[in-house]
Amino acid sequence: MTDKTNSKTPGLSRRSLLKAGFAAGAVAGTAGAARAAGDPLITEIQDWNRYLGDGVQARPYGTPSEYEANVVRRDVEWLTASTESSVNFTPLHELDGIITPNGLCFERHHGGIADINPADHRLMINGLVDSPLVFTMEDLKRFPRENRVYFLECAANSGMEWRGSQLNGCQYTHGMVHCVMYTGVPLKLILEEAGLKTNAKWVMPEGADASAMTRSIPMEKALDDCLVAFKMNGEALRPEQGYPLRLVVPGWEGNMWVKWLRRIEVGDEPWHQREETSKYTDLLENGKARRFTWVMDPKSVITSPSPQAPISHGKGPMVISGVAWSGNGRIKRVDVSLDGGRNWKTARLDGPSLSKAMHRFYLDIDWDGSDMLIQSRAMDEHGFFQPTKNELRAARGENSIYHNNGIQTWYVKADGMVENVEVS
Ligand SMILES: Nc1nc2c(c(=O)[nH]1)N[C@H]1C(S)=C(S)[C@@H](COP(=O)(O)O)O[C@H]1N2
Ligand SMILES: [Mo]
């Protein structure tokens, strides 16, 4: 290298620039841009600028920078008895935009991850059809296919919060949700291929995993927007997301999105499977249970600042950011409160606004450095909005685990640290 600035000992001119820089920095005060003037990271050539980097085949399948090693799915050990029937959580506090990267989509399985060679995978359609059929993966890829972005939320997301604020971080309180672009064949086309009998009113997808997950889905939904999907974000489904085939049931609770999809039975009434009777029902105060509560109602959460993403920069301009979604359609508006729900400001929705997909919102504020109780409240295009947690409890009692879409409160302290709290 001939460039003098790349020589080992910095020249006089650089040293004096450095001094001048420090002086300028001191005068300029706290503004971020001015601080850069005396920064050795600006005035000194760094190793990564000096030496060649890795070549093209160093990372045949790309992974994030080593500095992002903390951005991972995490579980809560005491929450479940085994790792095979368990859950981990999407690190929402580290993400932006509306798409969840494949390797960070939360996982929920009831019998571990099925390990399936796609060449050995089959999808059977039987029951009230003219001709029962069996498809290979290759057969399925010959049907016209679609690309759609949808959120998937487990009905148990925020389930721990029914009894008060518990887990300190939106990853744990709200991380049983992800949003990806699926490529798949409309379920309608596959059912039509088999030919539906006139009394065909329900379908029952079944998984090829050890739990053989089965749920009843009404025919109107099956013929509306369900997909038999084989790709997520452009590449094959991940094994933990149902490789090689999963059902996509837009806007409805995650449990119905059967992974490792091997069979769809067509019937004239629901099957009352375990997962729709003893589980995924909501026990009310009077001893009765709500059943078939399929749609995921509007919900939102502030992802930053949040307990895992405290404010580190002190008072001044900052961005409050979060996500909102609704199983009914698009999010129309998100309001943000800085004072525990007394006053509300309308947040800025940014990025694509797609039906039954995640929406990103921002509120750009000038923080005066005092305590805040921050909340977000989503409203969808049909006018449904998020209730407070106490409104939810008044309507449904406190026996529930599922379908908690109550407004979340984060207590932001003057030092920037954040805690999960509830306001009454
Ligand atoms: N075959 C099968 N499908 C399944 C499950 C399962 O255990 N087995 N879990 C369900 C539940 S409860 C949820 S919330 C979603 C989770 O999807 P994910 O693991 O892609 O996040 O898959 C659903 N589909
Ligand atoms: Mo779930």
Side-chain angles (χ1 to χ4, degrees):
M1 274 180 269
T2 51
D3 186 340
K4 263 196 180 159
T5 56
N6 278 344
S7 67
K8 260 194 176 154
T9 38
L12 252 187
S13 60
R14 170 114 42 87
R15 224 174 268 150
S16 43
L17 176 70
L18 207 67
K19 264 192 204 155
F22 277 129
V27 175
T30 55
R35 215 183 292 144
D39 189 342
L41 286 167
I42 276 293
T43 55
E44 302 294 323
I45 299 290
Q46 304 296 318
D47 282 356
W48 53 87
N49 207 182
R50 195 188 304 263
Y51 305 112
L52 289 172
D54 284 346
V56 285
Q57 269 307 94
R59 298 147 211 236
Y61 191 98
T63 50
S65 157
E66 61 180 294
Y67 305 105
E68 300 295 317
N70 61 319
V71 185
V72 289
R73 303 186 277 221
R74 291 182 193 279
D75 63 350
V76 176
E77 263 176 45
W78 51 263
L79 210 55
T80 54
S82 72
T83 56
E84 294 82 10
S85 180
S86 193
V87 58
N88 60 20
F89 302 91
T90 307
L92 292 175
H93 60 293
E94 295 278 5
L95 304 179
D96 218 315
I98 66 164
I99 297 291
T100 315
N102 287 343
L104 295 178
C105 288
F106 85 92
E107 304 167 63
R108 169 77 179 104
H109 9 88
H110 295 66
I113 302 168
D115 179 7
I116 303 176
N117 179 339
D120 297 336
H121 192 69
R122 300 289 182 271
L123 173 64
M124 175 163 97
I125 313 288
N126 69 328
L128 299 177
V129 291
D130 298 331
S131 37
L133 295 172
V134 174
F135 301 98
T136 63
M137 288 303 295
E138 204 174 35
D139 295 335
L140 292 172
K141 288 178 180 171
R142 296 174 67 185
F143 282 88
R145 68 185 88 130
E146 290 179 352
N147 293 289
R148 295 283 184 277
V149 177
Y150 294 120
F151 77 83
L152 179 166
E153 185 184 16
C154 177
N157 199 21
S158 316
M160 297 301 294
E161 302 291 300
W162 275 103
R163 291 176 189 174
S165 51
Q166 291 216 36
L167 298 167
N168 223 19
C170 67
Q171 176 164 20
Y172 305 111
T173 57
H174 289 73
M176 288 170 87
V177 65
H178 53 63
C179 182
V180 307
M181 178 180 282
Y182 295 97
T183 307
V185 178
L187 177 55
K188 181 175 194 272
L189 296 184
I190 289 163
L191 293 173
E192 281 171 354
E193 184 78 7
L196 292 172
K197 303 263 197 214
T198 49
N199 55 342
K201 293 283 185 289
W202 292 77
V203 298
M204 183 187 69
E206 178 190 276
D209 57 329
S211 82
M213 178 67 56
T214 32
R215 287 290 303 256
S216 305
I217 301 177
M219 189 59 76
E220 304 84 74
K221 182 67 175 174
L223 297 178
D224 179 15
D225 55 3
C226 291
L227 295 175
V228 171
F230 39 83
K231 303 256 162 153
M232 58 194 288
N233 291 332
E235 65 178 359
L237 294 174
R238 292 289 170 90
E240 54 271 42
Q241 262 71 47
Y243 180 83
L245 197 66
R246 97 173 298 166
L247 190 65
V248 169
V249 191
W252 287 23
E253 60 186 16
N255 188 256
M256 309 175 85
W257 299 48
V258 172
K259 304 192 276 191
W260 311 289
L261 180 66
R262 68 177 293 267
R263 187 169 75 94
I264 295 173
E265 186 173 329
V266 179
D268 57 358
E269 54 183 16
W271 284 261
H272 307 291
Q273 293 288 353
R274 174 183 183 272
E275 303 293 321
E276 51 202 17
T277 51
S278 89
K279 298 286 184 291
Y280 296 94
T281 52
D282 312 314
L283 184 59
L284 302 175
E285 212 60 49
N286 64 7
K288 295 196 174 182
R290 299 198 315 155
R291 296 194 53 196
F292 293 149
T293 44
W294 299 310
V295 177
M296 298 310 291
D297 283 325
K299 187 162 170 177
S300 69
V301 66
I302 292 173
T303 52
S304 175
S306 63
Q308 297 157 291
I311 305 173
S312 54
H313 52 60
K315 65 182 183 178
M318 63 171 287
V319 178
I320 293 178
S321 176
V323 280
W325 60 91
S326 168
N328 298 304
R330 288 181 177 78
I331 290 294
K332 189 173 171 197
R333 206 179 85 200
V334 177
D335 298 327
V336 171
S337 176
L338 307 178
D339 57 9
R342 248 168 278 156
N343 297 286
W344 295 91
K345 292 175 187 182
T346 301
R348 183 165 62 83
L349 290 173
D350 188 75
S353 172
L354 302 167
S355 185
K356 303 171 190 174
M358 227 175 235
H359 290 60
R360 174 62 55 177
F361 67 85
Y362 299 110
L363 186 71
D364 309 296
I365 67 161
D366 195 357
W367 184 40
D368 65 7
S370 56
D371 289 10
M372 297 187 283
L373 288 166
I374 57 175
Q375 302 180 330
S376 65
R377 175 177 72 183
M379 189 207 276
D380 70 27
E381 60 182 331
H382 303 287
F384 293 105
F385 56 87
Q386 263 183 285
T388 65
K389 288 185 185 171
N390 283 336
E391 284 167 345
L392 259 188
R393 291 186 186 113
R396 297 211 209 125
E398 289 181 43
N399 298 325
S400 287
I401 303 167
Y402 306 109
H403 297 282
N404 183 344
N405 67 328
I407 292 171
Q408 177 66 42
T409 311
W410 301 130
Y411 173 35
V412 181
K413 294 177 234 174
D415 64 2
M417 299 305 280
V418 184
E419 242 180 73
N420 180 4
V421 297
E422 276 197 39
V423 290
S424 45

